[in-house]
Amino acid sequence: MKQNLKLALKNLTRQKRRSAVLALAIAFGFFVVTIIDGLVTGMVGNLEESITQISGGTVMIAGYEKIPPKSEDERSTLINIVRDKEYINNIVEKCNVDYRYCSKYTLSMGQVIFNGQKALCQLYGRDFEEADFLKSFRVVSGSLDNLSENSLIISEKQAENMNLAVGDEVIYSTLTIYGQKNVWDFTIGAIVKTNSFVSAAQIYAPIETVNKIVDIPQGGYTTYTIFLKNKKLQNKVANMIENSIREDGVPVSSRAEAYKTNPKNPYRGIDKQFSKEEVQWEGTKYGVETLGDAIPAIVIAMNVVHTVSTTILLVILLIVMVGVSNTYKMVLYERIREIGTMKALGMTGKDVKKVFTLEAVSLCIIGACAGLILAIFALFILHLVPISSENMAIFLSKGHFSFVVPLSSIIEQYILLIVLTTFAVRSSAKKASMLSPAEALRTTK
């Protein structure tokens, strides 16, 4: 095998121009595909990361209570609240979840009022001591250090629309979880970069302050989030947590049922398990969902990216393989007497076939490696270019494109390359292996 490979590599240098043209064609194919796959996968990954930061994690556990109606004409009231501050945390530890960090937040919908102007917003009560949470921001004005209990973090877009600056006092108006109107005075503590049209409406305050505003007891929250080290395990972890809660005899949603009733939008299916009037329970019922449940488009986008890039590669390779097939038909004709000589000296037909196949595969792998290296270099250069477009911000990582070149995709592409190359030269290699030495040596070109 070693001798056959050595001979195959030596043969590549005999027609340098022809070998170079074929290698360049394959390199171009892998260059294009790697650029598309790496760049789009990186953009989708940044989108997923941005949404993960918005939602607070990859697995989310929310708590809900239903307040019975006061009369037969009224409907029961659904409130989002978790009173037991340690229960979910204990469940996560019991399931031995491998996470980067866990967090809790309280969400409130309301209005920010300043100098007669009003703006709808989503107020997230977060723990301002969480380093990972604060690292997700790019500060435009102010500071994230030493924020008070009445400090507010707002987006740059929100600040521009309302002509707000750090130090300005605003009024926040909202409803408590029981439907009563409440207002609170805040001071702008920091203005942060807007990542997207979604985060432009999001503002942040200390969780205990928000709890006071919406009438949630101290230590309570609306949603517990888990930021997993491996996002691919989100379904497994969510199912483990859901089953563990169920084993405790505590009411919990069913992701399996949600996927049956709403396969294209399981988040909607989970929501129906709480919002339907006929669904009743006592105490707190927990809803467990993943980032993929809430935004299935991300999973679809990743699959589409991989399918499109593989299809492009397949088309390019099929075109190149036609050239490879024709080239090795010419090679067979050019080396027919040489093959006869080698077989006369003891080389078997099987070895001749291996030399032909190894030569073609080696040429294709060299071209593929060159294309891959050039693509990674180009992606790195592109990564260094700052992008200031606000519309693109959610797809960027701190104002820059990022790229991902998955090892699994590379392996799949190389396997595809080897299979197609072997098939392309199969006919020529078979004919070469079947040549009789006497007939080959009598052939004149």
Side-chain angles (χ1 to χ4, degrees), residues 19 245 376 407 432:
S19 297
I245 294 173
I376 291 174
L407 181 60

Side-chain angles (χ1 to χ4, degrees), residues 111-119 162 169-171:
Q111 288 183 323
V112 172
I113 304 169
F114 178 71
N115 285 345
Q117 298 181 82
K118 296 180 180 180
M162 300 188 70
E169 293 185 357
V170 298
I171 297 172

Side-chain angles (χ1 to χ4, degrees), residues 28 33 47 65 87 184 188 242 248 261 312-313 326 349-350 363:
F28 174 75
V33 169
L47 171 63
E65 293 180 1
Y87 178 66
W184 200 270
I188 305 300
E242 185 182 285
D248 285 347
T261 55
I312 292 171
L313 177 64
N326 292 333
K350 191 175 181 180
L363 177 64

Side-chain angles (χ1 to χ4, degrees), residues 25-133:
I26 294 165
F28 174 75
F30 270 77
F31 176 83
V32 171
V33 169
T34 304
I35 290 287
I36 294 172
D37 204 7
L39 197 59
V40 179
T41 302
M43 291 172 68
V44 174
N46 289 334
L47 171 63
E48 184 179 15
E49 186 71 18
S50 297
I51 296 172
T52 301
Q53 292 295 347
I54 290 168
S55 62
T58 10
V59 178
M60 289 75 73
I61 305 101
Y64 297 91
E65 293 180 1
K66 265 199 173 178
I67 301 175
K70 295 178 181 178
S71 66
E72 293 182 358
D73 297 332
E74 295 180 356
R75 293 172 60 88
S76 55
T77 305
L78 181 68
I79 62 173
N80 183 193
I81 183 173
V82 177
R83 300 179 189 274
D84 190 338
K85 60 182 180 180
E86 295 298 332
Y87 178 66
I88 296 299
N89 189 63
N90 293 336
I91 290 288
V92 171
E93 296 303 322
K94 177 183 173 183
C95 293
N96 198 26
V97 177
D98 188 20
Y99 56 82
R100 276 170 56 184
Y101 64 86
C102 293
S103 183
K104 302 168 185 174
Y105 69 78
T106 295
L107 175 60
S108 168
M109 309 293 290
Q111 288 183 323
V112 172
I113 304 169
F114 178 71
N115 285 345
Q117 298 181 82
K118 296 180 180 180
L120 294 173
C121 61
Q122 296 174 318
L123 174 61
Y124 282 82
R126 298 291 299 266
D127 184 355
F128 281 6
E129 298 298 319
E130 289 182 14
D132 291 292
F133 163 65

Side-chain angles (χ1 to χ4, degrees), residues 1 121 137 144 213 266 336 383 422 433 439:
M1 184 67 177
C121 61
F137 293 119
L144 299 177
I213 297 171
I336 195 165
H383 168 69
T422 303
S433 68
E439 183 185 346

Side-chain angles (χ1 to χ4, degrees), residues 35 96 100 107 111 144 161 188 190 195 207 228 233 242 250 287 308 312 346 348-349 357 363 372 377 382 391 408 428:
I35 290 287
N96 198 26
R100 276 170 56 184
L107 175 60
Q111 288 183 323
L144 299 177
N161 290 341
I188 305 300
N195 289 328
I207 186 169
L228 297 175
L233 297 176
E242 185 182 285
V250 176
V308 169
I312 292 171
T348 65
T357 305
L363 177 64
L372 179 64
F377 181 75
L382 189 61
N391 294 329
S408 59
S428 298

Side-chain angles (χ1 to χ4, degrees), residues 342-353:
M342 289 190 297
K343 294 190 78 172
L345 292 173
M347 181 175 279
T348 65
K350 191 175 181 180
D351 286 332
V352 172
K353 188 175 181 180

